[in-house]
């Protein structure tokens, strides 16, 4: 997965992070790559993708300050498009 992350779309990135977090599988190199790629494409994420990505990183305790800054900026701009669960998950992650 790490080698092909550049071909992932934003939903693929969010789903990958979510799946590993849900399974409780820490994968430091994968999450480093996910953070870099997600940060570059943050404007293309849907609100659920932003929320799931933040939740996944926080659930596994992965430190990604630049990614979280990008998620915060993007979430603030689009907060009106978030469903209640997305808001709750994003707030919890921070």
């Amino acid at each position: 997965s790490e080698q092909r992350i550049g071909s992932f779309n934003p939903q693929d990135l969010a789903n990958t992070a979510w799946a590993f977090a849900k399974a409780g599988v820490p994968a430091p190199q994968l999450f480093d790559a996910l953070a870099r790629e997600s940060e570059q494409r943050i404007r293309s994420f849907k609100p659920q993708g932003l929320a799931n990505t933040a939740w996944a990183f926080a659930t596994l305790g992965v430190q990604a300050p630049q990614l979280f800054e990008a998620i915060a900026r993007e979430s603030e701009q689009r907060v009106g498009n978030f469903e209640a669960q997305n808001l709750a998950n994003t707030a919890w992650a921070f």
Side-chain angles (χ1 to χ4, degrees), residues 45-52 75 78 81-83 86 90:
F45 276 65
K46 293 180 180 177
Q48 184 173 353
L50 294 169
N52 289 352
S75 297
R78 295 197 272 155
N81 298 327
F82 276 63
E83 293 180 11
N86 297 335
T90 304

Side-chain angles (χ1 to χ4, degrees), residues 28-77:
Q29 291 178 342
L30 174 63
F31 273 81
D32 285 348
L34 286 169
R36 283 191 307 274
E37 199 64 36
S38 296
E39 185 184 345
Q40 291 175 7
R41 299 202 213 162
I42 205 71
R43 291 186 174 195
S44 299
F45 276 65
K46 293 180 180 177
Q48 184 173 353
L50 294 169
N52 289 352
T53 300
W55 178 88
F57 276 75
T59 294
L60 290 177
V62 177
Q63 300 295 311
Q66 291 178 324
L67 173 61
F68 271 77
E69 287 176 25
I71 290 172
R73 279 192 312 272
E74 198 62 29
S75 297
E76 182 180 6
Q77 292 175 8

